[in-house]
Amino acid sequence: MFRCDRVFRLLCVLLLASAALAQVTKAAEQGDDSTCVVRNCMQQFVDQGELAGAVAVVGRHDRILSYEAVGVRNLDTKHPMTKDTLFRIASMTKPVTAIGIMLLVDEGRLSIDDEVEKHLPEFRGQMLVVNRTKESVTLKKPARKITIRDLLTHTSGLPGLHGIPGLADLYAKRDRTLAQAVMAISQRPLEFEPGSRWAYCNLGIDTLGRVIEVVSGQSYESFLQKRIFEPLGMVDTTFYPSWQQRDRTATIYDFKDGRLVAQADQRICPGENVCYPLPAGGLYSTGADLAKLYQTMLCHGAYQGKRLLTEESVQAMTSLQTGELVAGFVPGMGFGLGWGVVREQAGVTEMLSPGAFGHGGAFATQGWIDPKQDLFVILLIQRLGLQPNGDASVVRRALQEAAVAMIKDGQ
């Protein structure tokens, strides 16, 4: 019965997405303005009980085409979703960490082909797992040492979060420093030869955060604040939201027993006295802030005439770096340096161009940039359990289709 219920529900969601696309097409044909197209697209998912609320931003390199907030940020309090609502963007933090690394590359302070141990000596002597049984583990030296590039592309071979005792608990409590966590990471053997496979790795991105600290001489959070958030005017992007910002933060929901249910633990939500910023997924942000970041990437590293990154670094970050390796969470994907890159249009990326790049987050937030169409699309929701996953959700697809329909209509 459970399996049948899930299949039935998935069919219902697919029908909803089809209806959303039909409405977008109709609106475009009738000449409705872009606000209506995006608002109506997102409102359907709220009306059907798939989402409590959403913020969506669609723009080009020089302007915002649509910026909409629908629904509520909390079903119990009925506080409306507003444009300045904060969201836990989770793994959408990863490209921001990658930008921090590339700022140091632009200054000549490191190279993406540096061995990690050049900056973090604790990685010296790292071994590779050859065979593992219940009784023992056989190790050998890897063919080569892991590099900054490997960390940026998720090809380092570092273990997953649950492969290191205590680190999963650290993600919940966040009561250790970044330096302490990365020391623990460095002492675990690799799971595969560096560069030989793609395996999504939070701990690799956390390690990049520590590289930023060591090379810059600043804390990871301070470096990003001074070098990215302040120059771009990202006033609501933070690892540690104030109480006022927490009051504006959307609630995380899962879908259980036929309805949306708030998640009591509100994962990736810092408590008191936390000291671990989570370079792999700890940021809170808003639609307005992320739009500034994405316009910077569309403008090849500059925002409103001020340069953040060199064009060369933007090109390297957003070019395919993983070759033919199977990568990403939807078909046709590869990886650049911190960004997912569309290799081939398929499924949820059918309306995007090859070479479009972006990233999602654990709570189904999404941000994608399509240079060929001069387009960026930001979806901010706080939803667990979307099928088959957040990257492939019908909500993401519907918003992207709405965005592309808008620009084809001459917006």
Side-chain angles (χ1 to χ4, degrees), residues 98-112 215 223 227-228 296-297 300-302 307-317 337:
I99 289 172
I101 288 289
M102 299 310 289
L103 287 170
L104 296 172
V105 170
D106 284 345
E107 294 173 352
R109 301 169 77 176
L110 60 76
S111 164
I112 62 171
V215 175
F223 182 85
R227 298 296 304 277
I228 302 175
T296 301
M297 296 301 292
H300 311 287
R307 182 152 298 282
L308 182 76
L309 285 167
T310 65
E311 293 191 29
E312 292 78 11
S313 282
V314 172
Q315 179 66 26
M317 294 183 78
L337 304 176

Side-chain angles (χ1 to χ4, degrees), residues 384-402:
L384 296 169
L386 286 175
Q387 298 298 321
N389 58 57
D391 276 10
S393 79
V394 293
V395 184
R396 172 191 171 185
R397 178 169 187 145
L399 178 58
Q400 290 175 171
E401 286 170 336

Side-chain angles (χ1 to χ4, degrees), residues 60-61 63 291-299 303 376:
R60 291 188 179 277
H61 76 280
R63 64 191 185 276
K292 294 171 183 176
L293 183 72
Y294 286 13
Q295 284 182 322
T296 301
M297 296 301 292
L298 263 179
C299 291
Y303 180 70
F376 71 86

Side-chain angles (χ1 to χ4, degrees), residues 181-197:
V182 172
M183 176 60 75
I185 294 168
S186 72
Q187 301 308 300
R188 304 299 295 183
L190 303 178
E191 297 294 323
F192 56 85
E193 289 282 3
S196 66
R197 285 170 40 195

Side-chain angles (χ1 to χ4, degrees), residues 230-241:
E230 289 180 5
L232 296 183
M234 298 172 68
V235 296
D236 275 322
T237 301
T238 179
F239 291 95
Y240 308 120

